[in-house]
Amino acid sequence: MVRTPAETRLKDHRMLNRQVVLKRHPQGIPLPEDFDLVEGAIAQPTEGQMLVRNLFFSLEAAIRGWLDGKANYFEPIPLGGVIRGPSVARVVESHLAGFEAGDLIFGLHQWEDYSLSDANTVLLSKLSPEPDIPLSYYSGGLGGSGHTAYVGLHEIGKIQAGETVLISAAAGATGSMATQIAKLRGCNVVGIVGSEKKAELVTNTLGANAAVNYKTCGDLATAISQACPGGVDVYFDNVGGTTLNAALACMNTFGRVIGCGMISDYNDQDNPTPIYNMWKLVEKELTMKGFLLYTYMDKVPAASQQLHEWVRAGEITVLENITEGLPNASWAYSEMMRGATIGKNLVAMDFRADETAPLKMQ
């Protein structure tokens, strides 16, 4: 699905680099007005660097934590600073060993036409996309979202066939992949979602055994217990807050909680939701562990191989929501952060009149 909110007329500025910068700190859900589109010179790579042309940007909920001027696991983005996020890009010029012009890569870059990348770029990897697989998949289902779901379930959750796996934000980028992976591993899967449309998608398309709509189910812990009558063995948490509180109340003894995200508090980080059910960690002898994908990069090759096999076999559906054009990135991000989208949210870069598209969009 490709959404374009408005036709954007771009000037033909040779050798200028468009960038999306932080204009003001968001109050609650980020608005398009919190960002600005500026133009500057394209940086020139020096020894140990390469210049890359960004092709697809992955919109991540975690970006929200970098917009408030407070450090978390990354430094905050300052006012006037360029927004950072993972992208699929093509190398234009390389002075970095192991990379050549024309290579396709993935890494944490900035929301701009051209970025500099080096050996210290977070998540940097060279891509070898298969011709029958859309390049956009490497920003999501075969990229960070798929890898996060796979690593979280296997390395943190240690899922086993026959177990019951509960997944929050199950129609989202990571949740939709985790739902399908857990099902393929022989688990009983229940997804938590925010609409009946998403509930139908999670069960009918992604194969979950059941879905719970937290907005209409009444008491969430009761609804989870009804959907998981034998209790929950593994909870893949993308949401935190009241959803985590409810899930903890439904865990089986020796259950595992995978801490992947806390999106319910991202838009109001000064007022985090109290977690009242932590006693369950003791009572049920639970394991609860958070993780960041870049700590587990040694696990990514095996994850990628398996995910490719499933996608080629048609056993995994990659859900995408693609917005065209860098000028529309802030709008697309706002839509995602207010919960209006399904699947992986991406921005497909537009190409100026003075350049040839670096790669055919698949």
Side-chain angles (χ1 to χ4, degrees):
M1 176 181 179
V2 176
R3 301 173 295 137
T4 306
E7 291 297 325
T8 304
R9 300 182 62 85
L10 300 175
K11 299 177 182 178
D12 180 9
H13 285 311
R14 294 181 182 276
M15 302 308 293
L16 287 179
N17 192 31
R18 297 170 305 163
Q19 300 176 315
V20 177
V21 301
L22 183 62
K23 184 178 180 180
R24 65 187 184 190
H25 297 302
Q27 300 297 313
I29 297 173
L31 302 174
E33 294 78 18
D34 296 326
F35 306 87
D36 202 4
L37 185 70
V38 302
E39 293 178 327
I42 297 175
Q44 298 303 305
T46 59
E47 188 63 31
Q49 295 181 320
M50 54 185 173
L51 180 69
V52 303
R53 181 39 158 122
N54 292 304
L55 304 177
F56 287 97
F57 278 107
S58 169
L59 301 184
E60 305 286 341
I63 294 171
R64 180 63 184 84
W66 309 334
L67 305 180
D68 288 337
K70 301 173 183 177
N72 47 41
Y73 59 92
F74 277 127
E75 288 299 311
I77 297 171
L79 293 178
V82 186
I83 307 303
R84 70 173 81 97
S87 78
V88 167
R90 188 182 186 189
V91 178
V92 176
E93 180 181 348
S94 178
H95 302 286
L96 178 62
F99 295 86
E100 299 178 354
D103 285 346
L104 289 168
I105 67 167
F106 181 84
L108 185 67
H109 296 118
Q110 293 179 314
W111 288 8
E112 58 189 355
D113 289 308
Y114 294 88
S115 293
L116 290 178
S117 195
D118 60 31
N120 294 318
T121 297
V122 176
L123 300 176
L124 179 64
S125 59
K126 189 183 294 187
L127 301 177
S128 298
E130 299 186 11
D132 295 333
I133 293 179
L135 184 60
S136 57
Y137 282 18
Y138 294 88
S139 289
L142 293 178
S145 301
H147 297 159
T148 297
Y150 190 96
V151 170
L153 287 170
H154 292 88
E155 299 301 321
I156 312 300
K158 302 190 182 301
I159 57 171
Q160 301 293 322
E163 292 186 319
T164 294
V165 178
L166 178 68
I167 300 169
S168 56
T174 300
S176 63
M177 294 297 293
T179 296
Q180 296 175 88
I181 293 168
K183 191 65 182 176
L184 285 165
R185 291 304 194 198
C187 298
N188 177 60
V189 182
V190 175
I192 301 175
V193 297
S195 72
E196 291 306 312
K197 178 181 178 181
K198 292 179 180 179
E200 182 178 351
L201 173 76
V202 164
T203 52
N204 294 349
T205 301
L206 305 186
N209 298 82
V212 175
N213 182 350
Y214 73 90
K215 292 184 178 179
T216 60
C217 70
D219 181 75
L220 182 55
T222 299
I224 293 172
S225 294
Q226 291 172 346
C228 307
V232 175
D233 298 299
V234 178
Y235 172 46
F236 197 113
D237 186 23
N238 292 300
V239 173
T242 56
T243 305
L244 175 58
N245 268 324
L248 286 171
C250 303
M251 298 296 296
N252 287 330
T253 300
F254 304 124
R256 288 86 71 199
V257 178
I258 306 165
C260 182
M262 300 278 175
I263 195 171
S264 65
D265 286 334
Y266 285 173
N267 291 320
D268 191 11
Q269 295 184 74
D270 289 334
N271 298 288
T273 304
I275 305 300
Y276 296 112
N277 287 330
M278 293 300 286
W279 168 247
K280 291 294 180 179
L281 289 174
V282 178
E283 177 190 346
K284 297 292 186 176
E285 298 185 75
L286 305 178
T287 299
M288 183 175 182
K289 180 174 174 59
F291 79 105
L292 299 171
L293 179 62
Y294 67 77
T295 304
Y296 294 83
M297 291 303 289
D298 61 319
K299 307 298 182 182
V300 166
S304 181
Q305 180 179 347
Q306 180 62 78
L307 290 169
H308 273 84
E309 291 178 9
W310 282 329
V311 168
R312 283 195 299 266
E315 295 180 296
I316 277 187
T317 298
V318 177
L319 302 178
E320 293 185 312
N321 196 54
I322 302 177
T323 296
E324 290 184 333
L326 183 63
N328 298 318
S330 57
W331 171 84
Y333 188 68
S334 179
E335 289 291 287
M336 182 185 78
M337 292 306 292
R338 71 181 184 88
T341 60
I342 289 174
K344 183 64 190 178
N345 289 274
L346 305 171
V347 172
M349 294 292 287
D350 47 328
F351 303 108
R352 303 187 311 251
D354 63 319
E355 64 179 349
T356 301
L359 195 74
K360 180 182 178 182
M361 294 296 181
Q362 297 173 294

